């Protein structure tokens, strides 16, 4: 029997859950940590099969490690986007200084010392383009098994494509702004490559900076995604990212939006990374971003032969993971 190629959004979130999320956000904005207070101090605790991806850490030079707690995204509340979170982090998501971090077979726990609103705003403002935002706890599908995409990739429909585009709209806007000076005026063609191109919307949006010079190549694990993306980018291949569809040392800029939580496992992300780096020309750029947290960090990227020049993007009143790296050899 052929598998069902339609896509249906998941069940709507429980209204009580949404109310709790909005209540938590309101408490964070007021600086009220009573819901996280216990006999052992203030604690952020999440089941690994629940929402461990909401917990994040970052370190400020001379100030130590800070704990953070994501709350429900406005994309979900206001536009009914499936899921719970997006990549954006606001000042009120910063909660305090880390006392301890522990993980068990079932859950993750961060004990923290709460800071007042002014100190939390200051810490948020001090996050610079090379401050790493770390999401240390991988989301699990079942105990001991990280959640990943289906073996044949994701299905797509016009509705799903619209939701995928919505969750990345701030990232697409930032990408155009940061790369326009470099790519808007070119004397020769350049190759932009997306090894897990999904609907093709992200790559085509970038290529619009200079459609006469930016050549686009995508590939995807999902046959249906490949067919969909073929309407938007020049060449698309149905292939696993372990087998790049471009020649070594041929790519000027590579966008990676899939070495991320809920797409591949951490081990798989580290396995795929070196092959992608080899597709870059010397001086070529690799940009890592996405709707969900990245599974690789600056150490992984340096080990793969990349020079990391940015880890965080700041736009309006929020920031998000956004790694820009250059191949040095």
């Amino acid at each position: 029997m052929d598998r069902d190629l339609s896509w249906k959004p998941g069940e709507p979130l429980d209204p009580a859950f949404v109310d709790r999320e909005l209540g938590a956000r309101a408490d964070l904005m007021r600086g009220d940590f009573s819901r996280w207070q216990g006999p052992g101090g203030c604690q952020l605790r999440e089941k690994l099969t629940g929402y461990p991806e909401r917990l994040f850490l970052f370190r400020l030079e001379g100030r130590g490690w800070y704990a953070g707690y994501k709350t429900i995204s406005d994309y979900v509340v206001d536009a009914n986007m499936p899921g719970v979170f997006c990549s954006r982090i606001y000042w009120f998501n910063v909660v305090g200084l880390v006392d301890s971090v522990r993980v068990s077979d079932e859950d993750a726990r961060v004990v923290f010392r709460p800071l007042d609103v002014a100190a939390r705003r200051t810490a948020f403002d001090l996050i610079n383009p090379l401050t790493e935002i770390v999401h240390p706890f991988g989301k699990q599908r079942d105990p001991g098994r990280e959640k990943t995409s289906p073996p044949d990739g994701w299905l797509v429909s016009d509705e799903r494509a619209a939701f995928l585009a919505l969750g990345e709209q701030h990232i697409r806007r930032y990408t155009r702004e940061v790369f326009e000076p470099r790519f808007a005026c070119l004397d020769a063609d350049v190759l932009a490559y997306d090894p897990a191109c999904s609907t093709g919307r992200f790559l085509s949006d970038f290529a619009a900076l200079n459609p006469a010079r930016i050549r686009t190549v995508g590939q995807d694990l999902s046959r249906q995604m490949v067919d969909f993306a073929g309407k938007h980018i020049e060449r698309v291949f149905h292939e696993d990212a372990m087998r790049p569809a471009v020649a070594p040392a041929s790519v000027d800029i590579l966008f990676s939006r899939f070495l991320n939580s809920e797409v591949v496992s951490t081990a798989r992300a580290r396995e795929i990374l070196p092959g992608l780096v080899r597709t870059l020309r010397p001086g070529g750029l690799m940009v890592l971003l996405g709707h969900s947290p990245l599974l690789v960090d600056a150490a992984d990227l340096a080990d793969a032969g990349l020079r990391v020049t940015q880890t965080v993007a700041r736009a309006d009143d929020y920031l998000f993971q956004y790694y820009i790296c250059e191949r040095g050899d």
Side-chain angles (χ1 to χ4, degrees):
M1 179 183 295
D2 292 337
R3 66 180 181 137
D4 182 6
L5 291 182
S6 63
W7 176 81
K8 304 178 183 64
E11 290 296 320
L13 291 174
D14 178 4
F17 172 81
V18 175
D19 286 345
R20 287 195 298 273
E21 285 293 310
L22 294 176
R25 182 165 69 181
D27 286 349
L28 290 174
M29 295 182 76
R30 288 194 302 269
D32 178 1
F33 295 100
S34 56
R35 71 171 67 212
W36 296 281
Q37 181 69 54
C42 282
Q43 301 181 19
L44 307 174
R45 190 188 294 267
E46 292 290 328
K47 288 188 176 298
L48 298 178
T49 52
Y51 298 109
E53 69 274 26
R54 77 190 311 157
L55 306 181
F56 64 91
L57 309 173
F58 63 93
R59 184 173 68 88
L60 296 178
E61 193 68 35
R63 291 172 175 260
W65 282 92
Y66 289 77
Y69 184 87
K70 279 190 175 182
T71 50
I72 194 167
S73 172
D74 287 337
Y75 292 146
V76 177
V77 176
D78 298 335
N80 296 316
M81 185 182 76
V84 179
F85 311 112
C86 67
S87 62
R88 297 174 299 178
I89 291 172
Y90 295 85
W91 74 264
F92 54 81
N93 296 124
V94 177
V95 296
L97 289 164
V98 174
D99 274 340
S100 68
V101 178
R102 296 294 297 270
V103 63
S104 72
D105 290 342
E106 294 186 351
D107 63 10
R109 187 199 69 187
V110 178
V111 180
F112 68 98
R113 280 169 284 153
L115 296 173
D116 63 26
V117 167
R120 291 159 60 208
R121 284 185 178 273
T122 296
F124 179 81
D125 291 342
L126 287 173
I127 294 174
N128 66 55
L130 281 172
T131 303
E132 278 202 278
I133 297 172
V134 181
H135 295 263
F137 310 114
K139 189 178 184 72
Q140 296 185 359
R141 183 180 301 278
D142 303 303
R145 186 165 69 102
E146 286 184 69
K147 185 176 182 180
T148 62
S149 66
D152 296 329
W154 282 314
L155 304 180
V156 68
S157 66
D158 289 339
E159 184 183 14
R160 182 179 178 89
F163 280 130
L164 291 171
L166 172 66
E168 288 185 337
Q169 63 181 2
H170 60 285
I171 306 177
R172 293 196 309 275
R173 182 172 63 249
Y174 179 84
T175 298
R176 290 193 302 269
E177 292 171 356
V178 77
F179 289 114
E180 183 175 12
R182 179 165 178 164
F183 289 93
C185 298
L186 296 166
D187 297 326
D189 287 358
V190 297
L191 180 60
Y193 171 50
D194 189 336
C197 65
S198 184
T199 65
R201 171 72 183 274
F202 189 94
L203 196 58
S204 66
D205 194 76
F206 168 75
L209 286 174
N210 193 336
R213 289 298 190 184
I214 299 175
R215 308 274 67 82
T216 54
V217 175
Q219 70 184 76
D220 203 274
L221 193 61
S222 164
R223 165 59 70 183
Q224 201 188 17
M225 284 289 193
V226 166
D227 293 341
F228 199 98
K231 306 169 189 175
H232 305 288
I233 53 183
E234 294 173 346
R235 290 186 290 153
V236 193
F237 298 89
H238 181 215
E239 189 60 88
D240 191 311
M242 277 295 294
R243 297 178 290 276
V246 294
S250 66
V251 174
D252 294 281
I253 185 165
L254 184 157
F255 292 103
S256 171
R257 298 174 299 125
F258 77 107
L259 301 182
N260 297 64
S261 175
E262 301 184 60
V263 185
V264 297
S265 68
T266 302
R268 186 70 166 168
R270 289 172 174 162
E271 185 181 8
I272 292 171
L273 178 62
L276 297 182
V277 174
R278 287 192 290 271
T279 70
L280 295 173
R281 300 181 188 276
L285 301 177
M286 184 170 185
V287 184
L288 300 98
L289 48 109
H291 181 74
S292 61
L294 285 163
L295 298 174
V296 295
D297 57 19
D300 294 313
L301 298 167
D303 287 345
L306 294 169
R307 183 172 67 90
V308 179
T309 62
Q310 179 176 314
T311 60
V312 171
R314 189 180 289 273
D316 300 328
D317 57 347
Y318 56 83
L319 49 81
F320 52 95
Q321 288 183 307
Y322 195 98
Y323 285 66
I324 303 176
C325 313
E326 181 176 326
R327 181 172 178 176
D329 56 349

